[in-house]
Amino acid sequence: GYVAYAEATPEPKLISSAPVIDRVDNKKQKIVVLGTGWAGTSFLRNLKNPNYEVQIISPRNYFAFTPLLPSVTCGTVEARSIVEPIRNIVRKKNVDVQFTEAACLKIDAQNNKIYCHSNLENNLDGQEEFVVDYDYLIIAVGANVNTFNTPGVMENCHFLKEVEDAQKIRRTVIDCFEKASLPTVSDEEKKRILHFAVVGGGPTGVEFAAELHDFVNEDLVKLYPGVKDLVRITILEAGDHILNMFDKRITSFAEEKFQREGIDLKTGSMVVKVTDKEIFTKEMKNGGEVSATPYGMALWSTGIGTRPFIKDFMTQVGQGSRRALATDEWLRVEGCDKVYAIGDCATINQRKVMEDIAAIFRKADKDNSGTLTIDEYEEVIKDICERYPQVELYLKSKQMKNLVDLMKETADVSKGNVEFNIEDFKTALSKVDSQMKNLPATAQVAAQQGVYLAKCFNRMEEAEKNPEGPLRFRGEGRHRFRPFRYKHLGQFAPLGGEQTAAQLPGDWVSIGHSSQWLWYSVYASKQVSWRNRSLVVTDWARRFIWGRDSSR
Ligand code: FAD
Ligand code: MG
Ligand code: MG
Ligand code: MG
Ligand code: MG
């Protein structure tokens, strides 16, 4: 696929002679957006400021609704139904937006330039390389699959990141059933071919296993009566449980449901090697014994990694030792002005309260008395809560309403203490940082970051005239907007058989058929266009009436 191409060519060949693409309007500032996934598309859809010229560069000229990719693997939903051309999405805008289908191969942060390569296979005679300059760069290129360098995974396993991956899985599943039905194949071999192994018990792996189980039991058993009893689905998970990012109730429900249905759950076993016919697992406990299991098709879904050209960029901006591209809470890449990073390719380097505690105290202590009154303190509380999301989580864990209560408890204000010093302040907030968490790599986070950044750009002029922002504890004096704050709206885990687990804010958990209907309605409403919405709903209806299409 395209992405594989970009990974395979980390060093562009023609860099020095490649032409620099002219700007449309020299008076306008130019924003370059890399990527047409959740983060990039959400930015583009929300950008309204006509004072910018925008160029989008992505090897994919469409947006894909990834939460429905597992449904594409078994033909519950067609691939075409979940993609929308990016040119459709940006067409109606009053902002100058151009799209170029190419992959960025290198970012030159020093000279505000990026090097690109078209992935189109035609005779362009060297015209496929070009350079684009920018005033602002928004990196929204998502993540790579991560094989953790496990031997044989790249060559032998399927992945589920892109639409092409889902289509390939669909063809392979049918291939396996046809192969197993050949008269020449031995029973032993049939069993191997019809063993579907899923590596990784996260949401993607689990949903695929559930979807495949439904496909087999609702449709394929009728079409392949001779081999239906030989089918086996196994989930291999190194940890103790599947779906460990969900509430325990959901994990146990899923585990029990899968056990009942005959989906084989092997927790505590780590895949260490994959060959074309066997998958090698190591027991995490009991002496670490390694065993080989024959398989027909394997899906690798164990987490994400950083793209090579992003690694290279990280080295340029002094982030070489980090695992993921770090931004501040305003989503600006650390160590690089005017470059932003959103979505799966980035992580917010959240500040610790304890690192800034002296500065916070100084700012709150307006009269420089060395102590704070409750009034002085109350004035900075809002800022603290806004800047440090862990504070809210900590208060919630202690079932407190606000920071005043926390301080009153620590500084014995009730006993007549009306002021407190920096030591009290430190004691009160000392455990707050333990609640710090990285945001998950989800579409929800990516989309909210895109909206946030678009709003910042929509108000850029206004903000430049009024440089006082809410919090400037780091003394940089240029944070003009409120920092990005993620709002978790809940999470679904479809478990097959028209049952879905839903975990909504406030630890509200619901599992079963009613959540499945909630899932249908939420996912229909989240489609980016009415065209997608009607296609997806039609696919669902078609599946209810006629079942899934099992042709290749
Ligand atoms: P992506 O959406 O991956 O987009 C990256 C973009 O960058 C793509 O357009 C790509 O073509 C482009 N690109 C790649 N390389 C380059 C390059 N060199 N130059 C320029 N452009 C480049 N999240 C949820 O919240 N809920 C779910 O139910 C859910 N289900 C999922 C199911 C599956 C099967 C998968 C794979 C993911 C799911 N996710 C879900 C996660 C979600 O899809 C990601 O978190 C989200 O796509 C991240 O958005 P992004 O814009 O950062 O990256
Ligand atoms: Mg994107
Ligand atoms: Mg996407
Ligand atoms: Mg991220
Ligand atoms: Mg004071």
Side-chain angles (χ1 to χ4, degrees), residues 314-512:
M314 287 165 67
T315 319
Q316 288 178 47
V317 298
Q319 291 195 19
S321 58
R322 287 187 161 275
R323 277 182 49 219
L325 183 60
T327 69
D328 62 14
E329 301 93 321
W330 288 264
L331 311 181
R332 296 173 312 190
V333 169
E334 298 209 319
C336 194
D337 238 28
K338 305 217 166 176
V339 181
Y340 298 77
I342 50 179
D344 282 4
C345 65
T347 148
I348 299 174
N349 189 14
Q350 192 62 57
R351 297 283 299 176
K352 293 198 175 83
V353 174
M354 290 316 275
E355 278 172 7
D356 296 344
I357 194 110
I360 300 174
F361 191 85
R362 236 179 292 121
K363 182 171 169 169
D365 184 17
K366 289 218 173 88
D367 58 2
N368 279 322
S369 63
T371 54
L372 290 190
T373 63
I374 287 289
D375 285 347
E376 279 178 322
Y377 175 70
E378 269 182 47
E379 253 179 62
V380 280
I381 285 175
K382 206 172 142 265
D383 280 358
I384 296 177
C385 289
E386 200 158 87
R387 181 78 153 85
Y388 307 93
Q390 61 265 42
V391 172
E392 219 163 78
L393 296 172
Y394 181 73
L395 291 174
K396 209 176 125 200
S397 77
K398 302 233 348 169
Q399 292 176 335
M400 279 184 179
K401 275 223 191 63
N402 59 46
L403 273 180
V404 179
D405 295 343
L406 184 63
M407 187 51 79
K408 283 185 176 158
E409 184 192 270
T410 318
D412 279 341
V413 176
S414 55
K415 291 186 195 145
N417 260 351
V418 287
E419 303 212 346
F420 49 89
N421 59 25
I422 184 145
E423 289 313 315
D424 300 326
F425 196 52
K426 278 187 185 160
T427 318
L429 295 173
S430 61
K431 295 205 191 72
V432 166
D433 291 328
S434 66
Q435 297 287 326
M436 282 173 61
K437 273 200 250 39
N438 279 338
L439 294 179
T442 62
Q444 227 180 107
V445 171
Q448 288 182 24
Q449 291 183 333
V451 174
Y452 168 84
L453 202 55
K455 283 188 176 160
C456 291
F457 275 94
N458 290 343
R459 295 176 48 209
M460 199 65 107
E461 292 82 13
E462 179 193 332
E464 251 144 38
K465 275 184 233 134
N466 174 28
E468 281 299 308
L471 262 193
R472 284 177 287 114
F473 290 137
R474 293 161 78 184
E476 290 170 24
R478 52 175 193 179
H479 299 326
R480 303 172 199 105
F481 298 100
R482 293 174 161 196
F484 169 72
R485 186 58 83 75
Y486 172 57
K487 189 160 185 290
H488 186 62
L489 300 174
Q491 216 173 351
F492 288 108
L495 301 172
E498 295 298 304
Q499 293 196 311
T500 283
Q503 186 174 338
L504 299 167
D507 289 330
W508 192 81
V509 166
S510 146
I511 308 170

